[in-house]
Amino acid sequence: MASTDIVPTTAHPVGGPSLPQERRLVTAIPGPRSVELAARRAHAVSAGVSSTLPVYVAAGGGGVLVDVDGNSWIDLGSGIAVTSVGNAAEAVVAEVGAQVQAFTHTCFMVAPYEGYVAVAEHLNRLTPGQHEKRSALFNSGAEAVENAVKIARAATGRSAIVVFEHAYHGRTNLTMALTAKNMPYKQSFGPFAGEVYRVGMSYPYRDGGRTGEQAAAEAIRRIHTEVGESNVAALLIEPIQGEGGFVVPAPGFLPALARYAHTHGILLIADEIQTGFARTGDLFACQHEGVVPDLITTAKGIAGGLPLSAVTGRAEVMDAVHPGGLGGTYGGNPVACAGALGAIRTLEEQDLTGRARRIEQVMLPRLQALAERHGVVGEVRGRGAMLAVELVEPGTREPNPAATTAVATACHAEGVLVLTAGSYGNVLRFLPPLVIPEPLLLEGLDVLEKAFSQLG
Ligand code: PLZ
């Protein structure tokens, strides 16, 4: 058989922005083919891996996902803030296609290639701060965080890492230690890595309305008393917490921590894995308050859906590691780098930071109106296309995970993919692709409103 005769083992429908941008339910949810796949999955896939939706995806693009039964879903999740440029975005498909045909892997540690260098150049240019920077590429968010910790320790000669309440940094051994929430991330998976210290987060809805400065002073007092500045390699923080429930710290919190870190030779690591790449209406969330981290971790939105992550930071910090100290077989894989080059071009050419700000303008008033009508909505918060509502028992601040699940499930039944989050499982979060057409976003909000009114 000639190589041109080789055909894929399964049919591949075409996705991307040319998919009809509509919500369309043509079968029961889940449809018969999804039910069939669920049965196969039960025998093939570990029960430890779970999925939000009961349907299986065949194609995606723009603001929709199409399942194997032909139902078209409004996507308000972007695969957890990954497909910000849309699924199968044109530039991503073009770059990846060309790269796959040229070569798929050499290992950058063995035989380097331009794509890796080009992605590092973009990251150094796009991340906050005018100082000289270097980047290193990895595969997953957790791996980037692990490497940021390694780099910070090597550069400072100190070992302690300070993290925050409600933080999420990953599921590997070190990052489980950095992550706050037990279920489902840590339960029965210990023992965890040492030299990790957790302090309080600024969480205006739940910390009695402390100012950012007050919350920072409290965190700093604990670090001083319980760890000691001279032992601390880094403060590691998400500028807006993701899995923790889109917790936006009070203004002044991040700048106060940045000043404190700087004064004591402690590195500030911003975990922008969920907030990065235009999601919050700035390219990176720490820019909102003019905070310049020493190191920044990125992943998710970086590569249009291909697995790629990075640590970017001050040249002298990044270069403090001995040659060969950083790496991995696949880190900065050429196909993933090609995806990043396509995604970054799309972000810049289509002004996706502007689109994220527009999504906030469209969504925020609708979510605030929900809060006025329904006592179950305790708070609406977030920035750009990273918005959330926190659900409570009406008249209290008692978390209401049952109502959260009920609303999410009702949306899913109507073909709208929403995600939940929060330490207490009581946050509905919205992470639409930044390229979602506005009518589709509005229709998604209609379905959400209906789901709330069905709560009774
Ligand atoms: N840091 C801030 O948001 C990933 C995790 C979903 P990986 N968040 C989604 C889940 O249940 O596993 C994330 C993040 C922040 C680090 C990570 C980890 O990124 O690519 O999942 O390893």
Side-chain angles (χ1 to χ4, degrees), residues 55-88:
V55 300
Y56 287 73
V57 173
V64 301
L65 293 175
V66 177
D67 73 25
V68 288
D69 292 290
N71 302 296
S72 178
W73 293 70
I74 298 178
D75 180 10
L76 301 183
S78 301
I80 322 189
V82 171
T83 51
S84 297
V85 297
N87 247 301

Side-chain angles (χ1 to χ4, degrees), residues 246-336:
F246 288 16
V247 177
V248 185
F253 183 69
L254 295 171
L257 291 177
R259 282 194 302 274
Y260 167 70
H262 186 75
T263 306
H264 294 281
I266 297 168
L267 300 176
L268 180 68
I269 308 175
D271 181 345
E272 293 244 17
I273 286 165
Q274 192 152 159
T275 49
F277 292 100
R279 176 56 53 187
T280 64
D282 289 299
L283 259 182
F284 295 96
C286 39
Q287 289 169 312
H288 188 73
E289 287 192 88
V291 168
V292 178
D294 301 294
L295 296 175
I296 178 167
T297 55
T298 54
K300 292 188 183 279
I302 193 177
L306 281 96
L308 186 72
S309 68
V311 182
T312 300
R314 294 188 182 283
E316 66 276 16
V317 173
M318 295 294 294
D319 288 342
V321 181
H322 53 278
L326 304 175
T329 305
Y330 294 111
N333 166 272
V335 181

Side-chain angles (χ1 to χ4, degrees), residues 274-452:
Q274 192 152 159
T275 49
F277 292 100
R279 176 56 53 187
T280 64
D282 289 299
L283 259 182
F284 295 96
C286 39
Q287 289 169 312
H288 188 73
E289 287 192 88
V291 168
V292 178
D294 301 294
L295 296 175
I296 178 167
T297 55
T298 54
K300 292 188 183 279
I302 193 177
L306 281 96
L308 186 72
S309 68
V311 182
T312 300
R314 294 188 182 283
E316 66 276 16
V317 173
M318 295 294 294
D319 288 342
V321 181
H322 53 278
L326 304 175
T329 305
Y330 294 111
N333 166 272
V335 181
C337 285
L341 296 175
I344 291 168
R345 192 163 85 231
T346 307
L347 282 176
E348 294 195 297
E349 284 179 4
Q350 299 188 10
D351 180 29
L352 292 190
T353 48
R355 296 286 286 266
R357 289 194 290 268
R358 174 67 193 158
I359 288 170
E360 176 180 334
Q361 275 176 7
V362 170
M363 289 193 76
L364 206 52
R366 295 278 299 264
L367 298 177
Q368 280 158 350
L370 267 182
E372 275 157 33
R373 279 202 302 278
H374 302 281
V376 75
V377 176
E379 190 183 45
V380 175
R381 59 175 178 255
R383 199 147 67 222
M386 183 172 185
L387 299 172
V389 293
E390 175 157 358
L391 275 61
V392 293
E393 302 291 345
T396 74
R397 295 194 179 198
E398 214 31 58
N400 194 340
T404 310
T405 309
V407 171
T409 307
C411 288
H412 299 164
E414 294 288 330
V416 176
L417 169 50
V418 298
L419 301 173
T420 60
S423 293
Y424 317 113
N426 67 326
V427 176
L428 282 169
R429 57 169 157 173
F430 308 101
L431 293 162
L434 303 180
V435 297
I436 190 171
E438 215 160 292
L440 210 56
L441 187 60
L442 293 170
E443 190 178 341
L445 287 164
D446 293 342
V447 169
L448 179 73
E449 280 166 10
K450 194 173 141 205
F452 267 97

Side-chain angles (χ1 to χ4, degrees), residues 80 139-143 145 168-171 184-185 238 240 242-243 271-275 297 299-300 309 429:
I80 322 189
N139 303 288
S140 66
E143 204 186 346
V145 173
Y168 184 90
H169 298 292
R171 293 175 181 262
Y185 308 123
E238 300 154 85
I240 297 178
E243 305 306 304
D271 181 345
E272 293 244 17
I273 286 165
Q274 192 152 159
T275 49
T297 55
K300 292 188 183 279
S309 68
R429 57 169 157 173

Side-chain angles (χ1 to χ4, degrees), residues 148-230:
V149 168
K150 285 162 65 171
I151 293 162
R153 285 176 171 161
T156 59
R158 305 172 180 180
S159 58
I161 304 296
V162 174
V163 290
F164 293 79
E165 251 180 303
H166 310 291
Y168 184 90
H169 298 292
R171 293 175 181 262
T172 58
N173 187 263
L174 174 57
T175 59
M176 278 192 293
L178 302 169
T179 289
K181 191 176 175 180
N182 179 48
M183 274 303 271
Y185 308 123
K186 302 166 77 165
Q187 174 63 37
S188 72
F189 297 146
F192 305 113
E195 284 306 298
V196 173
Y197 301 88
R198 192 173 310 283
V199 298
M201 177 68 183
S202 167
Y203 188 162
Y205 183 65
R206 294 202 174 274
D207 68 6
R210 289 179 302 179
T211 65
E213 285 78 8
Q214 287 166 340
E218 218 162 290
I220 287 166
R221 196 159 39 241
R222 291 233 359 235
I223 298 167
H224 176 75
T225 311
E226 297 179 19
V227 196
E229 284 81 4
S230 64

